[in-house]
Amino acid sequence: MSERTLSQYQREVDAWIRTVGIRYFSELTNTAVLMEEVGELARLMSRTYGDQSFKEGEDRDLGMEMADVLFVLICLAVSYTHLTLPTKRIV
Protein backbone atom coordinates (compact mmCIF):
# COMPACT_ATOMS: atom_id res chain seq x y z
CA MET A 1 0.00 0.00 0.00
CA SER A 2 1.47 3.35 -1.00
CA GLU A 3 1.42 6.41 1.22
CA ARG A 4 -0.94 9.23 0.31
CA THR A 5 -0.07 12.89 0.30
CA LEU A 6 -2.07 15.66 1.94
CA SER A 7 -3.26 16.70 -1.53
CA GLN A 8 -4.54 13.20 -2.19
CA TYR A 9 -6.43 13.15 1.10
CA GLN A 10 -7.90 16.56 0.26
CA ARG A 11 -9.12 15.29 -3.12
CA GLU A 12 -10.65 12.19 -1.51
CA VAL A 13 -12.43 14.19 1.20
CA ASP A 14 -13.61 16.75 -1.36
CA ALA A 15 -15.01 13.99 -3.60
CA TRP A 16 -16.77 12.34 -0.63
CA ILE A 17 -18.33 15.60 0.51
CA ARG A 18 -19.53 16.47 -2.99
CA THR A 19 -21.12 13.05 -3.55
CA VAL A 20 -22.16 11.82 -0.08
CA GLY A 21 -21.85 14.69 2.35
CA ILE A 22 -23.81 17.15 0.17
CA ARG A 23 -21.87 20.30 1.19
CA TYR A 24 -19.11 21.68 3.36
CA PHE A 25 -19.89 23.23 6.71
CA SER A 26 -18.74 26.81 7.25
CA GLU A 27 -15.27 27.40 8.63
CA LEU A 28 -16.77 28.40 11.99
CA THR A 29 -18.86 25.24 12.19
CA ASN A 30 -15.89 23.09 11.18
CA THR A 31 -13.79 24.77 13.87
CA ALA A 32 -16.43 23.92 16.46
CA VAL A 33 -16.61 20.33 15.15
CA LEU A 34 -12.81 20.15 15.34
CA MET A 35 -12.86 21.22 18.98
CA GLU A 36 -15.49 18.56 19.70
CA GLU A 37 -13.43 15.86 17.99
CA VAL A 38 -10.23 16.91 19.78
CA GLY A 39 -12.16 16.73 23.06
CA GLU A 40 -13.29 13.18 22.25
CA LEU A 41 -9.69 12.23 21.45
CA ALA A 42 -8.50 13.83 24.71
CA ARG A 43 -11.13 11.92 26.70
CA LEU A 44 -10.03 8.65 25.13
CA MET A 45 -6.33 9.43 25.70
CA SER A 46 -7.08 10.22 29.34
CA ARG A 47 -8.84 6.91 29.79
CA THR A 48 -6.22 4.92 27.87
CA TYR A 49 -3.05 6.45 29.32
CA GLY A 50 -4.22 8.57 32.24
CA ASP A 51 -6.00 8.07 35.53
CA GLN A 52 -9.57 7.91 34.28
CA SER A 53 -11.25 4.58 33.61
CA PHE A 54 -13.47 3.48 30.77
CA LYS A 55 -17.21 3.27 31.23
CA GLU A 56 -18.91 0.07 30.14
CA GLY A 57 -19.49 0.02 26.40
CA GLU A 58 -17.36 3.12 25.78
CA ASP A 59 -15.50 3.19 22.46
CA ARG A 60 -11.74 2.62 22.73
CA ASP A 61 -10.62 3.22 19.14
CA LEU A 62 -7.87 5.86 19.25
CA GLY A 63 -7.24 5.50 15.52
CA MET A 64 -10.83 6.37 14.67
CA GLU A 65 -10.79 9.43 16.93
CA MET A 66 -7.55 10.60 15.31
CA ALA A 67 -9.09 9.99 11.89
CA ASP A 68 -12.08 12.15 12.87
CA VAL A 69 -9.72 15.00 13.84
CA LEU A 70 -7.77 14.60 10.60
CA PHE A 71 -10.97 14.56 8.52
CA VAL A 72 -12.15 17.88 9.94
CA LEU A 73 -8.68 19.40 9.52
CA ILE A 74 -8.71 18.31 5.88
CA CYS A 75 -12.17 19.87 5.43
CA LEU A 76 -10.78 23.14 6.79
CA ALA A 77 -7.72 22.87 4.52
CA VAL A 78 -9.94 22.33 1.46
CA SER A 79 -12.00 25.37 2.50
CA TYR A 80 -8.85 27.41 2.10
CA THR A 81 -8.28 26.32 -1.49
CA HIS A 82 -6.34 23.15 -0.83
CA LEU A 83 -4.00 24.48 1.81
CA THR A 84 -0.52 22.97 1.78
CA LEU A 85 1.51 22.34 4.90
CA PRO A 86 4.64 24.41 5.40
CA THR A 87 6.64 21.30 6.28
CA LYS A 88 9.96 23.13 6.49
CA ARG A 89 8.49 25.23 9.32
CA ILE A 90 6.92 22.36 11.28
CA VAL A 91 9.43 19.53 10.86
Side-chain angles (χ1 to χ4, degrees):
M1 176 157 85
S2 65
E3 292 185 26
R4 291 183 284 200
T5 65
L6 179 60
S7 294
Q8 289 169 319
Y9 279 115
Q10 287 175 322
R11 284 191 296 276
E12 288 177 31
V13 167
D14 186 54
W16 184 89
I17 286 176
R18 292 177 189 281
T19 58
V20 178
I22 301 170
R23 66 178 176 84
Y24 282 95
F25 293 136
S26 70
E27 289 83 358
L28 181 59
T29 298
N30 270 333
T31 300
V33 170
L34 177 61
M35 296 305 103
E36 176 187 354
E37 295 299 344
V38 168
E40 291 175 12
L41 176 60
R43 177 186 42 76
L44 189 53
M45 293 292 287
S46 177
R47 283 166 170 69
T48 302
Y49 302 107
D51 298 326
Q52 292 185 331
S53 58
F54 282 96
K55 297 175 184 162
E56 189 164 331
E58 190 172 18
D59 189 24
R60 298 174 184 225
D61 191 348
L62 275 170
M64 195 61 186
E65 292 301 337
M66 289 182 187
D68 289 345
V69 170
L70 183 59
F71 182 84
V72 179
L73 281 172
I74 291 171
C75 288
L76 282 165
V78 171
S79 300
Y80 291 101
T81 318
H82 293 275
L83 184 71
T84 57
L85 290 177
T87 52
K88 290 192 188 296
R89 291 178 59 197
I90 60 174
V91 176

